[in-house]
Amino acid sequence: NKMEDDLAGLGLESSGDVEEATPVESSPVDAYAAIAATDAESPAMTAWKESFATKVAEKDQVDAEADAEMKTKGSEALAAWKAKYAKELEDRATSNAEAEAAFVQQRDDETPANSWQKVAFLVDFTGKATTKTKDTSRMKTLLLQLKQHGLQRD
């Protein structure tokens, strides 16, 4: 019967009653052989594992190629961005140098008819006052009036 076969496979003898099963003396080599026999894989399982390993290796290769391509594109994009940034930086430096030269020339120009025009040129009238500065709106208004009409002495 099946139970006796199972018990015999485990190295136990049965006298027909499961409770009276007694171990059969066997060598340790036989026990290891029985364990090894149960651990052996079927050919279908071995074929599936090989197929799975092959598919995983192929996907790993495709991923490695995609990573390499992405790194190449990324380094090219970074190089292009760095070149564009360097060009913008150079253009900005040139523009700032030209603006500074024009400002210095206008600042040092001695031709204004009214000296208050020169003072008004140096004052910021944009009205961008921060909360931590003193209110200078009255002073700016006076400077604008002096620029337009000059100092009139009575």
Side-chain angles (χ1 to χ4, degrees), residues 92-104:
R92 193 176 323 127
T94 303
S95 173
N96 287 347
E98 291 171 357
E100 181 182 4
F103 175 80
V104 168

PDB file of all heavy atoms in Angstrom, residues 92-104:
ATOM      1  N   ARG A  92      26.894  87.824 -22.171  1.00  0.00           N
ATOM      2  CA  ARG A  92      26.482  88.670 -21.061  1.00  0.00           C
ATOM      3  C   ARG A  92      27.642  89.544 -20.579  1.00  0.00           C
ATOM      4  O   ARG A  92      27.470  90.724 -20.271  1.00  0.00           O
ATOM      5  CB  ARG A  92      25.962  87.808 -19.909  1.00  0.00           C
ATOM      6  CG  ARG A  92      25.227  88.603 -18.869  1.00  0.00           C
ATOM      7  CD  ARG A  92      24.613  87.745 -17.763  1.00  0.00           C
ATOM      8  NE  ARG A  92      24.084  86.480 -18.221  1.00  0.00           N
ATOM      9  CZ  ARG A  92      24.414  85.298 -17.693  1.00  0.00           C
ATOM     10  NH1 ARG A  92      25.244  85.230 -16.683  1.00  0.00           N
ATOM     11  NH2 ARG A  92      23.874  84.195 -18.165  1.00  0.00           N
ATOM     12  N   ALA A  93      28.837  88.961 -20.523  1.00  0.00           N
ATOM     13  CA  ALA A  93      30.010  89.727 -20.095  1.00  0.00           C
ATOM     14  C   ALA A  93      30.301  90.855 -21.083  1.00  0.00           C
ATOM     15  O   ALA A  93      30.604  91.992 -20.684  1.00  0.00           O
ATOM     16  CB  ALA A  93      31.220  88.812 -19.956  1.00  0.00           C
ATOM     17  N   THR A  94      30.188  90.569 -22.372  1.00  0.00           N
ATOM     18  CA  THR A  94      30.405  91.589 -23.398  1.00  0.00           C
ATOM     19  C   THR A  94      29.359  92.695 -23.288  1.00  0.00           C
ATOM     20  O   THR A  94      29.690  93.888 -23.337  1.00  0.00           O
ATOM     21  CB  THR A  94      30.348  90.949 -24.805  1.00  0.00           C
ATOM     22  OG1 THR A  94      31.313  89.904 -24.872  1.00  0.00           O
ATOM     23  CG2 THR A  94      30.628  91.968 -25.886  1.00  0.00           C
ATOM     24  N   SER A  95      28.096  92.296 -23.124  1.00  0.00           N
ATOM     25  CA  SER A  95      27.016  93.271 -22.999  1.00  0.00           C
ATOM     26  C   SER A  95      27.209  94.141 -21.758  1.00  0.00           C
ATOM     27  O   SER A  95      27.026  95.368 -21.814  1.00  0.00           O
ATOM     28  CB  SER A  95      25.675  92.539 -22.932  1.00  0.00           C
ATOM     29  OG  SER A  95      24.634  93.428 -22.658  1.00  0.00           O
ATOM     30  N   ASN A  96      27.574  93.522 -20.648  1.00  0.00           N
ATOM     31  CA  ASN A  96      27.799  94.288 -19.421  1.00  0.00           C
ATOM     32  C   ASN A  96      28.972  95.265 -19.575  1.00  0.00           C
ATOM     33  O   ASN A  96      28.906  96.395 -19.089  1.00  0.00           O
ATOM     34  CB  ASN A  96      28.051  93.362 -18.239  1.00  0.00           C
ATOM     35  CG  ASN A  96      26.798  92.659 -17.782  1.00  0.00           C
ATOM     36  OD1 ASN A  96      25.697  93.019 -18.171  1.00  0.00           O
ATOM     37  ND2 ASN A  96      26.974  91.639 -16.960  1.00  0.00           N
ATOM     38  N   ALA A  97      30.024  94.822 -20.254  1.00  0.00           N
ATOM     39  CA  ALA A  97      31.182  95.706 -20.464  1.00  0.00           C
ATOM     40  C   ALA A  97      30.787  96.901 -21.333  1.00  0.00           C
ATOM     41  O   ALA A  97      31.191  98.043 -21.059  1.00  0.00           O
ATOM     42  CB  ALA A  97      32.325  94.924 -21.104  1.00  0.00           C
ATOM     43  N   GLU A  98      29.978  96.665 -22.374  1.00  0.00           N
ATOM     44  CA  GLU A  98      29.534  97.754 -23.244  1.00  0.00           C
ATOM     45  C   GLU A  98      28.628  98.718 -22.477  1.00  0.00           C
ATOM     46  O   GLU A  98      28.758  99.944 -22.610  1.00  0.00           O
ATOM     47  CB  GLU A  98      28.801  97.203 -24.455  1.00  0.00           C
ATOM     48  CG  GLU A  98      29.690  96.461 -25.430  1.00  0.00           C
ATOM     49  CD  GLU A  98      28.922  95.735 -26.508  1.00  0.00           C
ATOM     50  OE1 GLU A  98      27.654  95.746 -26.481  1.00  0.00           O
ATOM     51  OE2 GLU A  98      29.568  95.133 -27.382  1.00  0.00           O
ATOM     52  N   ALA A  99      27.705  98.162 -21.673  1.00  0.00           N
ATOM     53  CA  ALA A  99      26.799  99.007 -20.893  1.00  0.00           C
ATOM     54  C   ALA A  99      27.583  99.834 -19.873  1.00  0.00           C
ATOM     55  O   ALA A  99      27.285 101.018 -19.659  1.00  0.00           O
ATOM     56  CB  ALA A  99      25.747  98.153 -20.194  1.00  0.00           C
ATOM     57  N   GLU A 100      28.588  99.224 -19.262  1.00  0.00           N
ATOM     58  CA  GLU A 100      29.404  99.949 -18.285  1.00  0.00           C
ATOM     59  C   GLU A 100      30.177 101.075 -18.960  1.00  0.00           C
ATOM     60  O   GLU A 100      30.271 102.199 -18.436  1.00  0.00           O
ATOM     61  CB  GLU A 100      30.365  98.991 -17.581  1.00  0.00           C
ATOM     62  CG  GLU A 100      31.217  99.665 -16.531  1.00  0.00           C
ATOM     63  CD  GLU A 100      32.199  98.717 -15.875  1.00  0.00           C
ATOM     64  OE1 GLU A 100      32.294  97.539 -16.276  1.00  0.00           O
ATOM     65  OE2 GLU A 100      32.896  99.179 -14.953  1.00  0.00           O
ATOM     66  N   ALA A 101      30.737 100.790 -20.135  1.00  0.00           N
ATOM     67  CA  ALA A 101      31.481 101.823 -20.859  1.00  0.00           C
ATOM     68  C   ALA A 101      30.573 102.986 -21.239  1.00  0.00           C
ATOM     69  O   ALA A 101      30.953 104.165 -21.108  1.00  0.00           O
ATOM     70  CB  ALA A 101      32.128 101.220 -22.107  1.00  0.00           C
ATOM     71  N   ALA A 102      29.345 102.673 -21.682  1.00  0.00           N
ATOM     72  CA  ALA A 102      28.397 103.730 -22.043  1.00  0.00           C
ATOM     73  C   ALA A 102      27.998 104.540 -20.814  1.00  0.00           C
ATOM     74  O   ALA A 102      27.914 105.772 -20.874  1.00  0.00           O
ATOM     75  CB  ALA A 102      27.163 103.120 -22.702  1.00  0.00           C
ATOM     76  N   PHE A 103      27.781 103.867 -19.686  1.00  0.00           N
ATOM     77  CA  PHE A 103      27.420 104.565 -18.454  1.00  0.00           C
ATOM     78  C   PHE A 103      28.552 105.478 -17.983  1.00  0.00           C
ATOM     79  O   PHE A 103      28.321 106.640 -17.631  1.00  0.00           O
ATOM     80  CB  PHE A 103      27.083 103.550 -17.353  1.00  0.00           C
ATOM     81  CG  PHE A 103      26.821 104.181 -16.024  1.00  0.00           C
ATOM     82  CD1 PHE A 103      25.594 104.756 -15.749  1.00  0.00           C
ATOM     83  CD2 PHE A 103      27.810 104.226 -15.044  1.00  0.00           C
ATOM     84  CE1 PHE A 103      25.338 105.346 -14.525  1.00  0.00           C
ATOM     85  CE2 PHE A 103      27.571 104.821 -13.822  1.00  0.00           C
ATOM     86  CZ  PHE A 103      26.334 105.386 -13.557  1.00  0.00           C
ATOM     87  N   VAL A 104      29.774 104.973 -18.023  1.00  0.00           N
ATOM     88  CA  VAL A 104      30.919 105.779 -17.583  1.00  0.00           C
ATOM     89  C   VAL A 104      31.095 106.985 -18.496  1.00  0.00           C
ATOM     90  O   VAL A 104      31.361 108.097 -18.025  1.00  0.00           O
ATOM     91  CB  VAL A 104      32.199 104.919 -17.530  1.00  0.00           C
ATOM     92  CG1 VAL A 104      33.439 105.770 -17.359  1.00  0.00           C
ATOM     93  CG2 VAL A 104      32.097 103.897 -16.407  1.00  0.00           C
TER      94      VAL A 104
END
